[in-house]
Amino acid sequence: ESPQELKGLRVVISAGPTYEDLDPVRYVGNRSSGKMGYALAAAAVRQGAQVVLVSGPVHLATPAGVQRVDVRSAAQMRSAVLDALPADIYIGAAAVSDYTPRQVAPQKLKKTAGTQTLTLELVRTQDILAEVAQQTNALKLVVGFAAETHDVEKYARGKLVDKRLDLVIANQVGITNGGFESDENAATAYWQGGEQVFPGTTKALLAEQLLSLIAQRLHA
Ligand code: PMT
């Protein structure tokens, strides 16, 4: 039995990658499996929350009791997240593409004779997390993830301040056993004036521990 630390609260969680289409058969994506976000959704339900899970394309079953909204692109994820508000807590565990092709070709792109290179023009996507944090319909707690390959604390604290977040969960990616795809992860949580280290464990257990911290920060 989990302690019902989030009883009665509405929690919106994003998970998985986004796919940015280039043409009808190709896309730009990333290695997120959705496991971390899905573990958080399952754990939040166990702690008594009402959970909306906005999910990019993944191969995972919907956790019991979770309301799941499937999306493909960053733009679709943004709409679905904004539609799911108001909420008490937002957790951005998705690996949202920072860039999307300027144009989606209506037909399959063909090889061009006589040239060995292809240049793609990409434009920035909107930052969903920053937008949620700026909602006037204020949430009680906005939690971002930071996936970094280096200088983890510097970039994580930067996101905390720049995006005006309450909590940033930093995980190192690009190492074995953790981050993208793996069933395990390690993280350090940063908030203004504090931090907490979560040593490597299963994403299921880490999710429980992170939600306990989130419940604590809610009452801080
Ligand atoms: O899905 P798994 O395989 O289990 O892997 C888990 C994970 C490594 C993907 C996850 O733990 C994680 O770190 N998720 C965030 C990945 C990421 O995109 O980090 P970022 O540092 O690029 O983005 C920072 C934050 O801004 C994230 O909360 C992200 O959701 C958010 N963001 C980013 C861009 C954008 N356009 N909109 C956003 O909301």
Side-chain angles (χ1 to χ4, degrees), residues 64-142:
V66 167
Q67 183 192 335
R68 170 171 166 183
V69 181
D70 285 312
V71 299
R72 181 171 175 86
S73 65
Q76 288 171 0
M77 184 169 276
R78 172 178 176 269
S79 301
V81 165
L82 295 179
D83 283 350
L85 301 181
D88 299 291
I89 300 172
Y90 177 72
I91 308 176
V96 185
S97 182
D98 292 318
Y99 292 91
T100 194
R102 182 179 289 284
Q103 282 166 340
V104 183
Q107 293 180 314
K108 185 182 170 195
L109 295 165
K110 304 301 286 180
K111 291 187 285 289
T112 316
T115 171
Q116 296 299 320
T117 63
L118 169 68
T119 303
L120 295 175
E121 195 178 1
L122 305 176
V123 294
R124 284 289 293 270
T125 58
Q126 279 175 282
D127 192 313
I128 303 166
L129 183 61
E131 199 171 340
V132 170
Q134 280 160 19
Q135 287 278 312
T136 47
N137 210 336
L139 288 88
K140 296 193 175 81
L141 208 76
V142 177

